[in-house]
Amino acid sequence: MSRIHVLSEHLTNMIAAGEVVERPAGIVKECIENSIDAHAKVIEIEAFQGGIERLIITDDGIGMDFEDAHMAFMRHATSKMHDEQDLFNIQTMGFRGEALPSIASVSKVEMMTNDGKNGTLVRYEYGDLVCEEACSCPLGTKLDISGLFVKTPARFKHLKAPSYEFSIIADLVNKMALSHPDIRFKLSHDGRVIFQTSGNGSLEEILYQMYGKEVAQNAVAFDEMDEDFRIHGLLVQPKINRATKYFMFISLNTRLIRSVKLQKAITDAYENYMPLNRFPIVVLNIEMDTQLVDVNVHPNKWEVRLSKQNQLIELIKKTIKNTLNESLRTVEVKPKVKQVIEQEELDLVYTMPEVEPIRKQNDFISKQFEEKIYVKEEPVVYPVFEERKEERINTGSELFKHIKVLAQLHDSYILCENESGLVIIDQHAAQERYHYEQIQKCLNDPCTMTQPLMLPIQIHVTSDVMSRVNTINRNVKYFGFEFEIFGEDIFIVREIPVWFQNVHEEKFFEDLLDLFKEEDEVDMKKLRKHVLSTMACHSSIRFHRPLTMQEMQQVVYDLQKCEQPYHCPHGRPTVITMSDNDLRKEFERG
Ligand code: ADP
Ligand code: MG
């Protein structure tokens, strides 16, 4: 007897469901995509108990007639593709004809749809058609899905707490809204509206809804193209950053995608502005010829295969860098009028219940890291170059033109004037930026120049670090560092690179070795960033320190020479300005 047989349609649907509808958010994604393909202008998503109990997705799209409403639940039935040619030129979100039958195989589904002529109701229960009849309903389609995975306990077990499942849905709907700003989205959980967009096409507005005013106000629009791609969207200024990569949204021909390579292009472009292990908030929309992209890589359609990917990466990097350079001008101080926090505003700012504590925790940890104090006790002597010529300081960008140092404020800020008004420089941040760029230049090549120390530096280490001395040395050799075992729990360093000065060495090495506690091999980039930002901070003049006129001029001069003078390596501003106009207004001279 033959052992091989063809699986029943019900079984194949359930297998497909494994890939397409792993969890409630997967269903929401498929349904929203169907609504988008049906040209909906308004899409409403109602979730109950994280979508585990019930999900209702309503749209005002073109709907279906009786026959299509029946066909929609057949496996591999689609209105979106006809022949082979279409597969290489996909213009719609869906094309596989799998979502509805998959969903219907693992839940109870009631669909009401109206194509402008007739209304139809179709009901499925765990793969069985239980009802198909005419009904009255508004134009568009409404899917009411309940009892998810009740008959597939193995899947049910994998669902997490409702609040977690909902946070994934919310995240998805946010991203969908960002990739379709012209559609009105409304999301509610257990009857409470959580997120809502107006569909007026404004990305800033959606960002505002998601993360609040500060993020939206610090978002900069970009729009660039080359012969194959157009990229546009929003970049949030690096001073606002996140501990995870989840805040970079990429869409390709309005389809949300996940791409490690494109994400890396974004983080690379931000690199010089970001503290270690922090990530930007970016909305990146890519438009390209559909024939140059293969979206048929995985059933859930998150991944795509791109032709000319490297060209796209270059365009992304270049555009982001340029946009950041241009926009990271100085922060203008606007006189603060009374700050009224409107309750409505607060209500709208959506927070993911489970993700938020993690985010807060991460923020706390990285803040601790950023604020560690390494500076040695004796003040850094600030080198002043006597022969500096006046005209040199008059070149450079607009801000530094004819800049003149006036005074120092509270041993911390350098007050200057230029042609347009008052310029205030944070002496520590300015120096940090300068040293960062200087050290960055030193690190461009492997270190060859070291100097022996009179007294070797000793560092106490734990046994796990001790046992990995060879790996660690292999990793840090580039910088000219080498650790030697000295007794049971001590490393010593006998030589240091020539550029390694004015640093609390022990503290620096302890922190460097800490990086190896978490991972065996620390990647070069992470190490470089660590060395760079801690060095830059260590060797800078302190925030509270009186400076002579000459020293202040030198700080301004050094800052002016920087490639990115307006922000310190942690993304905070180095300079703020207040224009004559603002001053006049403040003093009510009209
Ligand atoms: P696909 O989207 O890949 O075609 P689906 O199983 O998701 O497959 O949907 C099957 C078909 O049902 C679609 O091709 C479309 O014609 C129809 N359909 C599904 N949802 C809607 C909707 N919200 N409005 C109008 N038609 C829909
Ligand atoms: Mg679909």
Side-chain angles (χ1 to χ4, degrees):
M1 199 183 81
S2 109
R3 287 177 299 130
I4 302 175
H5 56 94
V6 176
L7 293 176
S8 75
E9 182 159 324
H10 179 56
L11 263 177
T12 53
N13 284 339
M14 285 178 70
I15 291 167
E19 289 167 315
V20 192
V21 289
E22 254 186 316
R23 54 176 6 125
I27 297 183
V28 174
K29 178 170 186 279
E30 291 297 333
C31 291
I32 294 180
E33 289 187 344
N34 280 342
S35 300
I36 294 169
D37 286 341
H39 311 293
K41 284 278 149 233
V42 182
I43 303 174
E44 180 172 357
I45 303 102
E46 297 163 83
F48 297 88
Q49 293 295 300
I52 299 168
E53 192 185 288
R54 194 171 172 203
L55 274 171
I56 306 170
I57 294 104
T58 314
D59 71 46
D60 65 345
I62 57 173
M64 286 167 264
D65 64 15
F66 188 86
E67 201 182 334
D68 279 349
H70 172 80
M71 284 302 288
F73 287 93
M74 302 292 118
R75 187 154 163 76
H76 298 312
T78 179
S79 56
K80 300 168 193 174
M81 210 163 42
H82 299 278
D83 54 30
E84 233 175 88
Q85 276 303 311
D86 291 346
L87 185 56
F88 302 104
N89 190 10
I90 292 168
Q91 312 271 1
T92 49
M93 297 284 125
F95 54 90
R96 306 175 60 100
E98 277 181 330
L100 288 185
S102 300
I103 295 167
S105 74
V106 292
S107 66
K108 291 183 183 179
V109 179
E110 181 179 279
M111 181 174 85
M112 289 211 257
T113 185
N114 182 333
D115 64 346
K117 292 190 190 114
N118 301 301
T120 308
L121 179 143
V122 180
R123 204 178 285 140
Y124 270 84
E125 283 181 14
Y126 304 103
D128 293 329
L129 175 66
V130 292
C131 176
E132 209 171 34
E133 64 192 24
C135 76
S136 94
C137 59
L139 175 70
T141 302
K142 175 174 176 175
L143 274 141
D144 189 332
I145 298 152
S146 56
L148 181 64
F149 299 146
V150 167
K151 292 215 172 164
T152 32
R155 298 233 131 238
F156 194 81
K157 255 194 359 223
H158 282 287
L159 293 174
K160 301 247 167 68
S163 59
Y164 180 77
E165 292 296 340
F166 181 73
S167 73
I168 302 181
I169 294 177
D171 187 45
L172 176 93
V173 176
N174 283 170
K175 291 180 180 173
M176 282 287 193
L178 280 174
S179 56
H180 291 90
D182 45 356
I183 294 178
R184 237 162 83 191
F185 284 90
K186 184 173 175 186
L187 169 69
S188 66
H189 193 211
D190 295 329
R192 217 181 113 231
V193 177
I194 302 292
F195 174 73
Q196 198 169 5
T197 66
S198 70
N200 70 0
S202 160
L203 284 181
E204 280 92 342
E205 191 200 283
I206 302 169
L207 219 54
Y208 174 80
Q209 303 272 333
M210 288 166 69
Y211 305 124
K213 203 183 236 162
E214 215 205 339
V215 171
Q217 275 175 346
N218 282 286
V220 188
F222 64 95
D223 195 339
E224 275 297 328
M225 60 198 295
D226 64 12
E227 55 280 16
D228 295 299
F229 302 98
R230 175 180 170 219
I231 60 172
H232 55 102
L234 290 177
L235 304 175
V236 175
Q237 306 254 14
K239 64 177 177 185
I240 301 175
N241 49 56
R242 294 287 192 258
T244 71
K245 295 182 181 173
Y246 296 127
F247 301 87
M248 292 179 261
F249 311 106
I250 309 175
S251 78
L252 195 149
N253 293 337
T254 76
R255 178 192 304 283
L256 288 175
I257 59 162
R258 291 188 187 133
S259 162
V260 175
K261 291 208 167 133
L262 299 187
Q263 212 174 50
K264 189 170 172 299
I266 299 175
T267 49
D268 281 354
Y270 263 89
E271 201 195 356
N272 284 342
Y273 306 99
M274 275 290 165
L276 188 69
N277 287 336
R278 303 291 296 177
F279 303 95
I281 304 173
V282 171
V283 184
L284 169 63
N285 297 311
I286 304 161
E287 284 173 28
M288 65 187 290
D289 186 343
T290 46
Q291 305 203 26
L292 289 177
V293 48
D294 183 2
V295 289
N296 189 20
V297 178
H298 189 275
N300 66 20
K301 298 166 286 180
W302 276 105
E303 274 161 66
V304 293
R305 219 173 275 126
L306 282 174
S307 309
K308 305 197 181 183
Q309 180 162 268
N310 290 341
Q311 181 189 324
L312 175 61
I313 288 174
E314 283 315 307
L315 179 68
I316 293 172
K317 280 195 199 168
K318 200 179 81 198
T319 306
I320 296 184
K321 276 189 188 164
N322 288 347
T323 312
L324 285 176
N325 269 345
E326 273 168 39
S327 67
L328 284 177
R329 293 275 153 74
T330 55
V331 180
E332 279 205 32
V333 183
K334 290 283 172 229
K336 283 207 173 84
V337 193
K338 258 189 303 163
Q339 277 200 347
V340 187
I341 302 172
E342 290 158 30
Q343 191 54 41
E344 253 180 7
E345 261 173 31
L346 285 179
D347 283 342
L348 280 172
V349 178
Y350 125 84
T351 52
M352 287 187 272
E354 304 243 335
V355 180
E356 191 63 16
I358 302 169
R359 218 192 270 157
K360 278 206 185 114
Q361 199 180 330
N362 287 344
D363 276 349
F364 179 71
I365 293 167
S366 49
K367 207 162 177 218
Q368 295 268 307
F369 176 80
E370 281 165 27
E371 284 175 0
K372 265 187 199 164
I373 294 157
Y374 302 86
V375 187
K376 270 186 169 180
E377 278 318 299
E378 64 266 34
V380 178
V381 181
Y382 197 69
V384 174
F385 302 105
E386 293 295 337
E387 79 315 348
R388 200 189 56 242
K389 295 216 176 71
E390 254 324 287
E391 69 268 26
R392 276 209 275 163
I393 206 150
N394 286 340
T395 58
S397 75
E398 205 55 38
L399 179 112
F400 294 102
K401 259 191 203 149
H402 306 294
I403 192 163
K404 188 173 142 203
V405 175
L406 302 173
Q408 189 184 24
L409 176 72
H410 291 162
D411 295 343
S412 303
Y413 303 102
I414 303 171
L415 306 183
C416 314
E417 65 174 2
N418 70 2
E419 282 177 342
S420 50
L422 178 67
V423 177
I424 307 168
I425 297 174
D426 175 327
Q427 63 191 45
H428 178 73
Q431 273 289 289
E432 241 187 312
R433 165 50 70 184
Y434 174 67
H435 284 131
Y436 185 86
E437 293 195 7
Q438 293 296 304
I439 299 163
Q440 197 172 35
K441 280 183 199 136
C442 294
L443 295 186
N444 273 346
D445 299 307
C447 172
T448 49
M449 302 248 282
T450 56
Q451 62 193 57
L453 290 163
M454 301 264 279
L455 274 180
I457 303 160
Q458 297 197 3
I459 311 119
H460 282 267
V461 293
T462 53
S463 54
D464 57 324
V465 170
M466 189 65 114
S467 67
R468 293 214 298 272
V469 64
N470 291 336
T471 321
I472 296 171
N473 277 336
R474 203 171 53 241
N475 278 270
V476 301
K477 190 163 181 270
Y478 179 96
F479 304 104
F481 301 131
E482 190 181 353
F483 299 101
E484 219 176 279
I485 296 179
F486 189 80
E488 233 174 60
D489 59 351
I490 293 174
F491 274 173
I492 54 168
V493 176
R494 293 184 190 278
E495 285 192 340
I496 50 170
V498 283
W499 48 262
F500 193 74
Q501 281 168 8
N502 298 319
V503 181
H504 190 311
E505 294 101 350
E506 274 159 57
K507 197 87 199 71
F508 175 86
F509 285 123
E510 274 169 18
D511 283 350
L512 185 67
L513 291 169
D514 270 352
L515 291 181
F516 290 90
K517 272 200 182 129
E518 293 152 20
E519 295 156 63
D520 258 357
E521 296 276 340
V522 176
D523 82 61
M524 197 60 199
K525 244 175 115 178
K526 206 163 163 184
L527 273 175
R528 183 194 284 263
K529 187 103 193 183
H530 176 79
V531 172
L532 252 168
S533 46
T534 48
M535 277 293 299
C537 180
H538 295 182
S539 50
S540 300
I541 42 173
R542 264 177 296 167
F543 191 56
H544 290 289
R545 161 133 136 66
L547 296 176
T548 65
M549 204 59 174
Q550 267 187 329
E551 285 176 315
M552 287 192 277
Q553 278 162 355
Q554 189 66 41
V555 172
V556 177
Y557 178 64
D558 287 344
L559 183 64
Q560 179 210 357
K561 280 189 302 191
C562 290
E563 273 174 41
Q564 270 116 41
Y566 305 118
H567 280 250
C568 80
H570 306 297
R572 291 188 290 266
T574 52
V575 184
I576 59 178
T577 65
M578 196 164 187
S579 69
D580 286 345
N581 256 350
D582 287 337
L583 286 169
R584 211 173 301 123
K585 258 187 238 147
E586 265 312 82
F587 289 113
E588 304 189 344
R589 284 181 178 274

